[in-house]
Amino acid sequence: MDTWVTITNHLASRKFKNFPEGGYGTYMNSYGFGEFTQSTATWLHTTQLEHLLRSPFIGLSLDESTDRCRGKHMIVFCTFIRDLRVVTEYLALLSVNKADASSLLALLLSHLQAIGVDLRRISGISTDGAAVMMGSKSGLVTRLRMRIPHLVSCHCIAHREVLAAKAAAEDMPFFNIIDDVIKELAEFLGRSGPWHQRFLDLQDVFLSTCLELQGIHQVRWLSRGDAIGRLVKVLPAIVVMLSEFADNRLYKIVTSYRFWFVLMFLADVLEQMNILNKTFQSREVSFVTWCS
């Protein structure tokens, strides 16, 4: 609740001088908190739409996702001019019943119409490279361009970087062994309390702090670089722990020259690629400044 009081005080400050003030800002119960949250969301959304609808140009960024319950969604970000600055903000998370191009376009157009966006002001759109989005004959972008002839489309640059890295690794099957080792170690330490404690105890010998292994998530672009970087840091403790196993299969793998060479190579490369990927995802990217 203290955090919420801080937020309401901030919103009522000079920066948000139109935010309603009053004694309700410190009303301390769960119902009041829920009402404040909903009211703030409504106010922020209304303010966003006021600026969005005044902008002479609008850009859209789309991506599909699936939640833990297997529900399909399409997230929409908008880029527009606000107070003489180009800003990109979250616009909506739309529930998807059918994930074909026609249905996704209908869903998008329905939402844009509901909030009053003039399609003639939409000048650009970026998506991933999926055929349902970028297909040259019947993709969502192609269908949308039939309604907006001046529409400029692009394939998300951060996504293209990931695809380029994936394609570059296809001729290196040993890279998959690194992934398999990280996955097996993370799962083993997650389900074995005694070995997990042994892993932490060994780190007291080699490191000044205790670190956990990180898993690799296929839909999280930065996770592989982070997981490999973490494995490099805890590798001495891992090697000693594996030497105590009755089954020395993993020990033979992680103590081989080939494993160490590929691991260190990937750690160096992916560290730089993660920096590049996060730069691509910055709120404002200036390639002139970044390259210099």
Side-chain angles (χ1 to χ4, degrees):
M1 284 296 186
D2 291 340
T3 301
W4 178 249
V5 172
T6 302
I7 293 174
T8 55
N9 291 339
H10 176 67
L11 292 175
S13 67
R14 295 178 181 177
K15 186 175 181 181
F16 295 92
K17 56 186 178 181
N18 294 326
F19 188 83
E21 300 184 59
Y24 291 107
T26 56
Y27 191 61
M28 307 290 286
N29 68 50
S30 58
Y31 296 103
F33 180 82
E35 185 177 346
F36 293 148
T37 302
Q38 184 59 49
S39 298
T40 302
T42 301
W43 179 81
L44 290 172
H45 184 61
T46 301
T47 304
Q48 179 195 60
L49 288 184
E50 290 176 356
H51 290 280
L52 176 66
L53 298 180
R54 287 201 299 265
S55 176
F57 306 104
I58 299 173
L60 300 176
S61 299
L62 312 178
D63 194 16
E64 301 170 81
S65 65
T66 303
D67 61 25
R68 286 187 172 185
C69 298
R70 303 299 179 186
K72 295 183 180 298
H73 304 279
M74 180 168 65
I75 191 168
V76 184
F77 283 83
C78 56
T79 300
F80 57 98
I81 297 175
R82 178 173 183 167
D83 298 328
L84 301 180
R85 295 180 62 241
V86 177
V87 298
T88 299
E89 297 181 355
Y90 164 81
L91 182 62
L93 183 66
L94 308 177
S95 296
V96 174
N97 293 322
K98 294 181 64 178
D100 60 276
S102 177
S103 300
L104 291 176
L105 178 61
L107 181 65
L108 176 64
L109 292 176
S110 175
H111 180 75
L112 295 177
Q113 182 180 11
I115 62 177
V117 172
D118 185 352
L119 295 183
R120 292 173 297 180
R121 295 188 179 184
I122 298 178
S123 56
I125 184 170
S126 68
T127 69
D128 61 17
V132 69
M133 289 290 185
M134 298 288 289
S136 60
K137 294 184 178 180
S138 59
L140 181 147
V141 173
T142 301
R143 293 170 181 264
L144 185 59
R145 190 174 287 116
M146 295 177 182
R147 297 170 178 263
I148 311 173
H150 61 269
L151 185 69
V152 176
S153 63
C154 69
H155 182 178
C156 169
I157 189 171
H159 188 251
R160 293 180 70 178
E161 184 214 7
V162 174
L163 292 178
K166 182 179 179 180
E170 288 180 351
D171 294 331
M172 299 290 184
F174 194 80
F175 288 176
N176 295 328
I177 295 180
I178 305 292
D179 286 11
D180 294 340
V181 169
I182 293 176
K183 180 180 179 180
E184 187 171 349
L185 286 173
E187 290 179 351
F188 172 75
L189 293 174
R191 64 174 182 266
S192 176
W195 280 111
H196 180 262
Q197 186 58 49
R198 175 60 175 157
F199 171 61
L200 298 179
D201 292 341
L202 287 169
Q203 288 190 63
D204 287 337
V205 178
F206 296 104
L207 301 171
S208 59
T209 184
C210 291
L211 302 172
E212 298 287 355
L213 277 181
Q214 295 182 220
I216 296 176
H217 303 279
Q218 298 301 322
V219 296
R220 298 289 181 265
W221 294 343
L222 307 178
S223 69
R224 178 170 283 99
D226 293 341
I228 289 178
R230 178 63 56 85
L231 178 59
V232 169
K233 293 180 180 179
V234 302
L235 194 56
I238 290 291
V239 170
V240 174
M241 182 188 71
L242 292 179
S243 69
E244 301 171 1
F245 281 17
D247 180 4
N248 62 358
R249 177 182 57 85
L250 273 180
Y251 177 76
K252 289 181 178 179
I253 294 175
V254 301
T255 55
S256 68
Y257 171 80
R258 191 179 188 186
F259 181 87
W260 279 69
F261 177 85
V262 173
L263 181 68
M264 299 305 171
F265 170 78
L266 288 177
D268 289 341
V269 171
L270 293 180
E271 179 184 10
Q272 297 304 314
M273 291 194 65
N274 279 4
I275 294 173
L276 178 61
N277 197 285
K278 286 186 282 189
T279 301
F280 287 154
Q281 298 181 65
S282 301
R283 181 174 294 274
E284 295 180 2
V285 181
S286 172
F287 289 99
V288 174
T289 303
W290 179 75
C291 292
S292 62

